[in-house]
Every structure is written in C-alpha cells, then in structure tokens.
Amino acid sequence: MNDPGYDAAQRVRNYNYAILNIAALAGEYEATGKTISRLNIGDPTLFGFEPPPQLTEAYIAALRNGRHSYAPSCGIPSAREAIARDAGNRLIETSDQQIIVTAGATEAADLLCTALLNPGDEVLCPSPGYPLYTALAARQETVSVPYNLDPLNSWLPDPQEIEHLITSRTKLLIIINPNNPTGALYPAELLAAIAEIARKHQLICLADEVYRKLIYSGSHHPFASFAGNDLPVFTLESLSKNFMVPGWRTGWMTISNSHLLPDLSGALRKLADARLCAPAAPQYAITEALSMGNDYLLPIMEKLHRQRNLTVSMLNDFEGLSCSTPEGAFHVMAKIDLSRYPFASDEEFIVELLRKKQILFVHGSGFGTQPGEGYFRIVYLPDTATLERVYHDLYDFLHHCRQHSGAIRQKPKTTTRS
C-alpha cells in the first residue's frame, strides 16, 4: 500500500521532552511484567504526599455547589484577586486584571511563547533547565540559546555570560527559581543583576517559580520584585507542586508592567479566550491555598529534607558519583564519572541502569548538559527505605560494570542518614 503522506507538521520534529520520552521506554519494560523504580518524574502524589485537606474540601464544595460551567477565560474573579493579593505581599507589582489562570503553569508558558515568539527569535534558556522551554521554542521555530548554570558554583548562572549571549534577535529570558533540575535557589543579588541586564537590553522575562514554597533554608525572592516599573516579567506559578495537586492542572500567569506591552497582553487574552478557560472547579481552591499560611508544609519539608540528605550522602559516598546539595524542590542533578565506567554517554548509562536494575532516572542531556559530562537527574520523592534500596542497587550495578570492564574496587562503605 502506498504511503498516503499523512505526515506530522514540521514544527513537531524538534519537539523533545526527555522526562516523558525516557518514561515511554520504562513503560515497555513494565509491559513485560517488570516493576520499575521511577525516580524520573516529579509527582508527589505517587509517593504518599497529600494536599492540605482545606484545598480538597474547597474543590469538593465547588462541585457540590454546581460549579460545572465554563469559567471566565482569564480565571474566576475571586481566584485572580487572591493571586494579586499574594503577589503584592511578595512585592510583585500587578493587579487582578493582569492575571490569567491556566491549565497548570505549562499552559501559561505555552500561551506566552505562542503570543510572543516569531520564527528566528532567540530565547535565553538555563542549561541545565526544564525541557519544556526548549521544546516550546522549537515548536515556534525560534532558537534556544543556552546560558550555563555552574555546577562548581551551586548551579548558579553568571550574569556576564547571559549579557554576552544577547543579540538583536533575543526576545525572551527564562529564569527557573528554584531550578528544575538542579534544585538551585537564586540569591537576591543575582536576581537583581539579571534583572538589570534584561532591563538594559529591553528583554521580556519569564520567571518560572512553581517550586517557590519548597525551600530547605533561606528565602525565595520573586524575580518580578526586581522589575521596577520598566521591566516586563511574566511569573508562572501553580498549585501543583507547592500544594501537592499536580493532577488538578491549576496554574497562573502574573504579568508585571503590562503597560509596556499592550499588544502582547491583548494577544494573550485573545489566546485565552480561544481555548475558553482553565478547569473551573479547582480554581475555587486558589483563594484557600493562598491564604492558609505555610504550616501544612512543615511535615512535607521535614520528610523531603531527610530524603534529600540521604540522597546527597549516599551519592557522594560512592566512587565515581557526586552531587551538590539542592536548596529547593525535590530533584538533584547527580554526576557519574564516565571515565570510570563503560558508558559512552549519560543516556547509555540511564538506559543500561533501567535495563539491568529497573531504576529510572533522567539523563542530563535531556535538560541541556552535554552527553559526555555524565549528569543525570534524580527525583527523591520516595521514602528513605526505598531510596536506600535504589541507591544500593545503583552501587551494585556500577560495581558489576567496573568488574566487567576489567577494573576492581572496594565495596562502598555503609552510609549514615542525616
């Protein structure tokens, strides 16, 4: 039979999302009856984390009260008012008229990239960084220009490098804080320096702050608090990770200094109107979420703190593995010394580990690092007993790889949880 030529659009050819792509391979193994230890995707609800009961009750009450209709395309008024109040309390200048409630922060990013970017534009993306942004840039036929996060400096960027990369085609600068995949938390002086560079070169900024509440120490500083009255910033947030409800698909975009870009603001509203609305019922939980304080986070962060410390301790305690200590979120960017093991790339290591031990991490090159650098991301949401088992299986896997390649080393020493 002749090929009828029903080809996918060209714009999808370079649309890659490593987190889910590698998960598809794991699904093939599961189909054969194998059990996979999934430390690849950041869904807290899969590991026993629950949302605050007040949020669930607010959602249920909305359903019982008949909130089944379309919502206003930019979000229900009470939710947008609550978001604006919360933003103001954190020194973000905005108003309820400059907020769009979306189907998760992912839709907010999609709306912004669609409304803003033209073919040939350049987008400055952190490397390593969340692959959604490079995928969206590829779909818009724009050029993703990576700026490096330095593993020797707590995975922080260099403002001078960012400025050096700016050209006449640069339109958008993306900041992820806390960073995914590294867990880095950006200090205020660094954010102020980046804001000044963006201001100088008249860039638009996207600040992804979906993990802003999941902080182990120190403080989170909203990037938009450095915007003054002359830097346009789009802040992306959601209920998903901060409130343990990723499946609700409830996020929002907060616009600062919309007076600088009336045409873009109008385009965003046009796109929001065209897709009708974000899911309506969970929007009624936003007011409750943003008024409840942070006490609900204490047991969550205590658990994540233990899991983070165990992860950092065990990875750094094994020859050829290393990582820095994340200051936010629930991921760590680890590194395997590929010169010690028979793997040509980070992805080959990840695939072999999955095949031999049914452990699923994500290769660092899926986040923008070079394949030969040996980085990989671990999501440490499982409990400490599970993590310890996984890391000992990792030890065993690497031990046998070294033996197979003709190298001999001692077994790892026993770790102490911190």
Side-chain angles (χ1 to χ4, degrees), residues 1 28 36 130 174 185 214 236 242 246 249 311 344 363 375:
M1 181 176 180
E28 295 177 12
I36 307 298
Y130 190 49
I174 294 172
L185 180 65
L214 304 184
L236 274 50
N242 291 320
R249 307 314 302 137
T311 296
H363 48 294
Y375 287 107

Side-chain angles (χ1 to χ4, degrees), residues 95-145:
S95 74
D96 61 313
Q97 298 303 306
Q98 307 307 323
I99 289 160
I100 301 176
V101 180
T102 54
T106 298
E107 189 194 33
D110 194 353
L111 289 175
L112 178 58
C113 289
T114 302
L116 173 64
L117 299 175
N118 292 309
D121 288 340
E122 294 180 353
V123 180
L124 286 169
C125 300
S127 180
Y130 190 49
L132 168 71
Y133 296 108
T134 53
L136 290 176
R139 198 180 72 187
Q140 299 303 130
E141 300 179 359
T142 61
V143 179
S144 296
V145 179

